[in-house]
Amino acid sequence: MIKILDNELVLSQTWSSNNHGICGHTFELIDYYMILKNYFDVVIYLTELTYDDLIIAIESKYNFTLEERNDILKHTIITEQPTLLKVKNLLFVDGSINSITSINILYDHLILFSCGDKSGYKITNNKITILQDESQTPYGKVYSPGPRTIHYKKKVLYRFKTTTQKNRTLLYLTTNCRKYPINDVKKLIAKFNKEYSHHDKWLIATNDFEYYKELLSDKIQVSTLPIKNFYEEFDNYIYTPLERKWDCSNRLIVECKALNKNFQFYLPDDYLKHDLALLARRFDLEQDKVQLKDNDEIINILKGIICYK
């Protein structure tokens, strides 16, 4: 299938045989659409969700009006994965050079939020721009600057609905990058059950129910994403390590703080020496530098790239 989009700016996430489903990148698309729609002719393009999934995602998290919700749906295009995509200006919110090698795209300009892959500093193609966090941490820069990179911190739109919450601890274990071995999950739960009396009920949120179903018990619920009214289902979140030791823009800890939920980290001692992206994210969260606002610098960055008038 060939898909041609004539809009000034298209927001999307990369696709592959490993379907992401609803994930943090889905909400990044919604967040940035809500800001950029005031300045550009912009649409969201998806290949791994249904409109029903998108409605659940919007209504479970945001305090949008019905008009705002319908506007997002109206400006979202969902198709099967195309064999060729032709656009003017395309922003991948989870982009990396490696992730787009199997995707056929014709574009005037391609913009990528760095995600995982750290080789973007090598890019010299003047039709590609990489937006990435080039902050200095105690262990080095998050991403190295290059000829086609611009320093930018990905942010989160604070438009969350007010929620009630259950006395339950969340483990967010999706298989695209957060899969956690069963034995490690058992050890984690046993540790927290022993050390913290309030950690006695658990929610495992995943896209692979079969993998985690053996953990089901009267104290442990395993639920497949998307989960309706997700943030009403827990009051505490435990962040678990990624095998790749690199979390480019974690938003779950940001949302937990904004919603006054507890969150803790369960990491090996030297983990943050490797995951500089998570280290910078934690610092930015403490300094209140993660909120996406109407005057965010992404607006002028994109105007400069696509010569907006």
Side-chain angles (χ1 to χ4, degrees):
M1 180 193 71
I2 297 174
K3 187 66 181 176
I4 300 173
L5 299 175
D6 292 324
N7 305 85
E8 184 177 36
L9 177 63
V10 176
L11 307 179
S12 189
Q13 65 184 78
T14 56
W15 54 87
S16 67
S17 57
N18 180 23
N19 191 322
H20 293 81
I22 288 180
C23 62
H25 297 307
T26 309
F27 299 111
E28 289 170 355
L29 291 169
I30 295 170
D31 287 358
Y32 278 89
Y33 170 79
M34 292 298 292
I35 299 299
L36 297 175
K37 69 175 184 173
N38 298 317
Y39 301 89
F40 304 94
D41 167 29
V42 57
V43 293
I44 297 171
Y45 179 61
L46 295 169
T47 67
E48 297 181 347
L49 294 179
T50 66
Y51 284 103
D52 287 341
D53 290 335
L54 187 59
I55 290 171
I56 291 174
I58 295 170
E59 295 184 346
S60 295
K61 178 169 293 191
Y62 298 100
N63 65 353
F64 294 154
T65 65
L66 180 61
E67 182 181 9
E68 288 174 320
R69 187 206 78 154
N70 290 341
D71 177 70
I72 295 169
L73 296 175
K74 178 181 177 181
H75 291 90
T76 298
I77 299 163
I78 299 178
T79 72
E80 63 186 55
Q81 295 181 8
T83 54
L84 175 66
L85 175 64
K86 186 177 186 299
V87 295
K88 294 178 180 177
N89 301 287
L90 173 63
L91 169 59
F92 276 131
V93 295
D94 65 334
S96 72
I97 298 306
N98 289 336
S99 66
I100 65 171
T101 53
S102 61
I103 301 175
N104 294 319
I105 317 167
L106 295 177
Y107 52 84
D108 293 338
H109 207 102
L110 179 63
I111 305 115
L112 308 171
F113 282 150
S114 272
C115 187
D117 177 40
K118 292 170 275 187
S119 63
Y121 67 92
K122 299 177 182 178
I123 299 301
T124 58
N125 185 339
N126 62 10
K127 294 179 66 175
I128 296 176
T129 300
I130 298 183
L131 307 184
Q132 60 183 20
D133 187 350
E134 297 174 355
S135 298
Q136 181 68 43
T137 77
Y139 303 108
K141 281 189 175 292
V142 179
Y143 287 97
S144 299
R148 298 301 307 166
T149 70
I150 296 175
H151 172 58
Y152 178 74
K153 292 178 180 290
K154 200 186 293 186
K155 303 180 186 71
V156 174
L157 182 67
Y158 281 33
R159 286 288 308 274
F160 307 117
K161 65 189 291 187
T162 302
T163 66
T164 58
Q165 56 190 23
K166 294 182 180 179
N167 181 21
R168 193 157 58 174
T169 297
L170 169 71
L171 296 176
Y172 191 87
L173 307 177
T174 53
T175 56
N176 57 336
C177 66
R178 295 191 172 279
K179 191 170 185 177
Y180 205 49
I182 292 290
N183 287 339
D184 289 339
V185 176
K186 291 178 179 177
K187 290 177 184 177
L188 183 158
I189 291 176
K191 172 182 171 64
F192 280 88
N193 282 344
K194 180 179 180 180
E195 295 183 4
Y196 303 94
S197 59
H198 62 283
H199 288 287
D200 61 343
K201 294 182 179 179
W202 297 80
L203 170 64
I204 296 175
T206 183
N207 60 335
D208 191 349
F209 177 85
E210 291 299 316
Y211 183 77
Y212 292 105
K213 69 178 182 180
E214 69 176 82
L215 296 170
L216 280 167
S217 72
D218 59 338
K219 297 287 188 179
I220 304 173
Q221 178 177 329
V222 179
S223 295
T224 303
L225 294 160
I227 298 172
K228 191 173 183 179
N229 298 321
F230 175 64
Y231 279 99
E232 296 185 5
E233 296 299 315
F234 66 96
D235 67 341
N236 186 67
Y237 166 53
I238 297 177
Y239 181 100
T240 49
L242 277 65
E243 183 178 0
R244 69 186 186 191
K245 296 182 179 180
W246 194 267
D247 193 353
C248 50
S249 57
N250 180 278
R251 65 181 289 133
L252 194 46
I253 58 173
V254 176
E255 294 176 357
C256 283
K257 184 170 183 178
L259 291 167
N260 295 314
K261 294 182 181 291
N262 298 316
F263 58 93
Q264 298 163 266
F265 295 88
Y266 183 73
L267 302 171
D269 290 340
D270 65 345
Y271 186 85
L272 291 177
K273 291 183 179 180
H274 304 281
D275 195 343
L276 305 187
L278 177 60
L279 180 63
R281 190 69 155 180
R282 287 174 56 168
F283 178 78
D284 291 337
L285 184 57
E286 293 169 0
Q287 301 297 314
D288 193 25
K289 295 181 178 179
V290 295
Q291 186 173 169
L292 182 61
K293 300 179 180 180
D294 291 341
N295 62 346
D296 188 75
E297 62 264 37
I298 188 72
I299 298 161
N300 286 330
I301 290 173
L302 291 176
K303 283 182 179 180
I305 291 172
I306 66 178
C307 300
Y308 178 74
K309 292 181 172 48

